[in-house]
Amino acid sequence: MARQTQRLTSREGTPVDAWVGTRIAARRQALGLSQTALAGRVGVSFQQIQKYETGINRISASRLHQIALALGAEPGSFFPALDPSSTQGEGPAATRPSAGSPAARLAEAISRIPRRKARQALIVLAECLAEPPGAQP
């Protein structure tokens, strides 16, 4: 029996949608916002924010722009970094930090900081120290 390819509707998410959603959730949490608060800023229900963050629903370009404005971020910051040396077609999993890498160690350490404001301050510091995308060292 031939295997049928499942067609996605315009609202169903893909692995990239899930990646974008996790980045939105991380930014929202770093700012100390609830899903309800972000939903209010964007003009959707908190359930819709849940669906975006889990990658169940796709995010249109205009909605991503609204979310980015509400979170004080660039829309492109929610996407996986492009690595010209990687094979085309590889998804976001290829850009995730490997266990034991500095990025993974930092993420793990930040997640163990008990005070929310301290975590937020550290994230803001890291963002300030990071070079903007495309900057030459």
Short mmCIF file of all heavy atoms in Angstrom, two decimals, residues 34-62:
data_model
loop_
_atom_site.label_atom_id
_atom_site.label_comp_id
_atom_site.label_asym_id
_atom_site.label_seq_id
_atom_site.Cartn_x
_atom_site.Cartn_y
_atom_site.Cartn_z
N SER A 34 3.08 36.80 31.26
CA SER A 34 2.25 35.61 31.14
C SER A 34 1.75 35.51 29.71
O SER A 34 1.82 36.48 28.94
CB SER A 34 1.06 35.70 32.10
OG SER A 34 0.19 36.74 31.68
N GLN A 35 1.23 34.35 29.37
CA GLN A 35 0.63 34.21 28.04
C GLN A 35 -0.56 35.15 27.90
O GLN A 35 -0.78 35.71 26.83
CB GLN A 35 0.18 32.76 27.81
CG GLN A 35 1.35 31.82 27.62
CD GLN A 35 0.91 30.38 27.45
OE1 GLN A 35 -0.11 29.96 27.97
NE2 GLN A 35 1.71 29.61 26.73
N THR A 36 -1.29 35.35 28.98
CA THR A 36 -2.44 36.26 28.96
C THR A 36 -1.99 37.69 28.69
O THR A 36 -2.61 38.42 27.91
CB THR A 36 -3.22 36.17 30.28
OG1 THR A 36 -3.62 34.82 30.49
CG2 THR A 36 -4.43 37.07 30.29
N ALA A 37 -0.90 38.11 29.33
CA ALA A 37 -0.40 39.48 29.13
C ALA A 37 0.06 39.68 27.68
O ALA A 37 -0.25 40.71 27.06
CB ALA A 37 0.75 39.76 30.10
N LEU A 38 0.79 38.70 27.14
CA LEU A 38 1.22 38.82 25.75
C LEU A 38 0.02 38.82 24.82
O LEU A 38 -0.05 39.61 23.88
CB LEU A 38 2.17 37.67 25.38
CG LEU A 38 2.65 37.65 23.92
CD1 LEU A 38 3.34 38.96 23.53
CD2 LEU A 38 3.56 36.46 23.68
N ALA A 39 -0.95 37.97 25.10
CA ALA A 39 -2.16 37.92 24.27
C ALA A 39 -2.86 39.27 24.25
O ALA A 39 -3.33 39.72 23.20
CB ALA A 39 -3.10 36.83 24.79
N GLY A 40 -2.92 39.93 25.41
CA GLY A 40 -3.55 41.24 25.48
C GLY A 40 -2.81 42.28 24.65
O GLY A 40 -3.44 43.13 23.99
N ARG A 41 -1.48 42.21 24.64
CA ARG A 41 -0.69 43.16 23.85
C ARG A 41 -0.86 42.93 22.35
O ARG A 41 -0.76 43.86 21.56
CB ARG A 41 0.80 43.03 24.20
CG ARG A 41 1.16 43.52 25.56
CD ARG A 41 2.64 43.39 25.80
NE ARG A 41 3.02 43.89 27.11
CZ ARG A 41 4.28 44.03 27.52
NH1 ARG A 41 5.27 43.72 26.70
NH2 ARG A 41 4.54 44.48 28.72
N VAL A 42 -1.08 41.67 21.97
CA VAL A 42 -1.16 41.31 20.56
C VAL A 42 -2.60 41.34 20.04
O VAL A 42 -2.84 41.52 18.85
CB VAL A 42 -0.52 39.92 20.33
CG1 VAL A 42 -0.65 39.45 18.91
CG2 VAL A 42 0.95 39.94 20.74
N GLY A 43 -3.56 41.17 20.95
CA GLY A 43 -4.96 41.19 20.54
C GLY A 43 -5.52 39.83 20.16
O GLY A 43 -6.37 39.73 19.27
N VAL A 44 -5.00 38.77 20.79
CA VAL A 44 -5.51 37.42 20.57
C VAL A 44 -5.79 36.79 21.93
O VAL A 44 -5.46 37.36 22.97
CB VAL A 44 -4.51 36.53 19.78
CG1 VAL A 44 -4.25 37.11 18.40
CG2 VAL A 44 -3.21 36.35 20.53
N SER A 45 -6.36 35.59 21.94
CA SER A 45 -6.61 34.89 23.20
C SER A 45 -5.32 34.24 23.70
O SER A 45 -4.40 33.98 22.92
CB SER A 45 -7.68 33.82 23.01
OG SER A 45 -7.20 32.78 22.18
N PHE A 46 -5.29 33.96 25.01
CA PHE A 46 -4.09 33.30 25.53
C PHE A 46 -3.97 31.89 24.96
O PHE A 46 -2.87 31.37 24.80
CB PHE A 46 -4.07 33.29 27.07
CG PHE A 46 -4.88 32.20 27.70
CD1 PHE A 46 -4.32 30.97 28.00
CD2 PHE A 46 -6.21 32.40 28.02
CE1 PHE A 46 -5.07 29.96 28.58
CE2 PHE A 46 -6.97 31.41 28.61
CZ PHE A 46 -6.39 30.18 28.88
N GLN A 47 -5.12 31.28 24.60
CA GLN A 47 -5.07 29.96 23.98
C GLN A 47 -4.34 30.01 22.63
O GLN A 47 -3.61 29.08 22.28
CB GLN A 47 -6.49 29.39 23.76
CG GLN A 47 -7.20 29.05 25.05
CD GLN A 47 -8.12 30.18 25.52
OE1 GLN A 47 -7.92 31.34 25.17
NE2 GLN A 47 -9.11 29.84 26.32
N GLN A 48 -4.54 31.12 21.92
CA GLN A 48 -3.85 31.27 20.63
C GLN A 48 -2.35 31.39 20.86
O GLN A 48 -1.55 30.82 20.11
CB GLN A 48 -4.38 32.48 19.87
CG GLN A 48 -3.85 32.60 18.46
CD GLN A 48 -4.21 31.40 17.61
OE1 GLN A 48 -5.33 30.92 17.61
NE2 GLN A 48 -3.25 30.90 16.88
N ILE A 49 -1.95 32.13 21.89
CA ILE A 49 -0.52 32.24 22.21
C ILE A 49 0.02 30.86 22.54
O ILE A 49 1.13 30.49 22.11
CB ILE A 49 -0.29 33.23 23.38
CG1 ILE A 49 -0.70 34.65 22.97
CG2 ILE A 49 1.17 33.18 23.85
CD1 ILE A 49 0.13 35.27 21.85
N GLN A 50 -0.73 30.05 23.30
CA GLN A 50 -0.31 28.67 23.60
C GLN A 50 -0.07 27.89 22.32
O GLN A 50 0.93 27.18 22.19
CB GLN A 50 -1.37 27.94 24.43
CG GLN A 50 -1.44 28.36 25.87
CD GLN A 50 -2.55 27.62 26.62
OE1 GLN A 50 -3.58 27.29 26.04
NE2 GLN A 50 -2.32 27.37 27.89
N LYS A 51 -0.98 28.01 21.37
CA LYS A 51 -0.86 27.27 20.12
C LYS A 51 0.35 27.75 19.32
O LYS A 51 1.04 26.96 18.69
CB LYS A 51 -2.14 27.41 19.29
CG LYS A 51 -3.30 26.65 19.90
CD LYS A 51 -4.57 26.87 19.09
CE LYS A 51 -5.75 26.15 19.72
NZ LYS A 51 -6.97 26.35 18.93
N TYR A 52 0.61 29.06 19.33
CA TYR A 52 1.80 29.58 18.65
C TYR A 52 3.06 29.04 19.31
O TYR A 52 3.99 28.62 18.65
CB TYR A 52 1.84 31.11 18.69
CG TYR A 52 0.82 31.82 17.83
CD1 TYR A 52 0.36 33.08 18.20
CD2 TYR A 52 0.32 31.27 16.66
CE1 TYR A 52 -0.56 33.77 17.41
CE2 TYR A 52 -0.60 31.95 15.88
CZ TYR A 52 -1.03 33.20 16.26
OH TYR A 52 -1.93 33.88 15.48
N GLU A 53 3.10 29.10 20.65
CA GLU A 53 4.31 28.71 21.37
C GLU A 53 4.62 27.22 21.26
O GLU A 53 5.77 26.83 21.34
CB GLU A 53 4.22 29.13 22.84
CG GLU A 53 4.32 30.63 23.02
CD GLU A 53 4.33 31.07 24.46
OE1 GLU A 53 4.17 30.23 25.38
OE2 GLU A 53 4.50 32.29 24.70
N THR A 54 3.61 26.41 21.09
CA THR A 54 3.83 24.97 20.95
C THR A 54 4.01 24.56 19.50
O THR A 54 4.36 23.42 19.22
CB THR A 54 2.65 24.17 21.55
OG1 THR A 54 1.46 24.55 20.90
CG2 THR A 54 2.56 24.38 23.05
N GLY A 55 3.78 25.48 18.57
CA GLY A 55 3.94 25.18 17.16
C GLY A 55 2.73 24.47 16.56
O GLY A 55 2.80 24.00 15.43
N ILE A 56 1.63 24.39 17.29
CA ILE A 56 0.42 23.77 16.77
C ILE A 56 -0.14 24.62 15.63
O ILE A 56 -0.54 24.09 14.60
CB ILE A 56 -0.64 23.57 17.88
CG1 ILE A 56 -0.14 22.53 18.86
CG2 ILE A 56 -1.98 23.18 17.29
CD1 ILE A 56 -0.99 22.40 20.11
N ASN A 57 -0.16 25.92 15.83
CA ASN A 57 -0.62 26.85 14.78
C ASN A 57 0.55 27.63 14.23
O ASN A 57 1.47 28.00 14.97
CB ASN A 57 -1.65 27.84 15.34
CG ASN A 57 -3.03 27.25 15.48
OD1 ASN A 57 -3.22 26.04 15.39
ND2 ASN A 57 -3.99 28.10 15.73
N ARG A 58 0.50 27.89 12.95
CA ARG A 58 1.51 28.71 12.30
C ARG A 58 1.26 30.18 12.62
O ARG A 58 0.15 30.57 12.92
CB ARG A 58 1.45 28.50 10.79
CG ARG A 58 1.66 27.03 10.42
CD ARG A 58 1.67 26.84 8.96
NE ARG A 58 3.02 27.22 8.54
CZ ARG A 58 3.42 27.22 7.29
NH1 ARG A 58 2.60 26.89 6.33
NH2 ARG A 58 4.64 27.55 6.98
N ILE A 59 2.30 30.98 12.54
CA ILE A 59 2.20 32.40 12.82
C ILE A 59 2.40 33.14 11.50
O ILE A 59 3.42 32.97 10.84
CB ILE A 59 3.27 32.85 13.84
CG1 ILE A 59 3.17 32.02 15.12
CG2 ILE A 59 3.13 34.34 14.14
CD1 ILE A 59 4.30 32.27 16.11
N SER A 60 1.44 33.98 11.15
CA SER A 60 1.59 34.78 9.93
C SER A 60 2.68 35.83 10.14
O SER A 60 3.05 36.14 11.28
CB SER A 60 0.27 35.47 9.57
OG SER A 60 -0.02 36.48 10.52
N ALA A 61 3.17 36.37 9.06
CA ALA A 61 4.23 37.39 9.14
C ALA A 61 3.75 38.61 9.91
O ALA A 61 4.48 39.15 10.75
CB ALA A 61 4.68 37.78 7.74
N SER A 62 2.53 39.03 9.67
CA SER A 62 2.03 40.23 10.36
C SER A 62 1.85 39.95 11.86
O SER A 62 2.15 40.81 12.69
CB SER A 62 0.71 40.71 9.75
OG SER A 62 -0.27 39.69 9.79
#
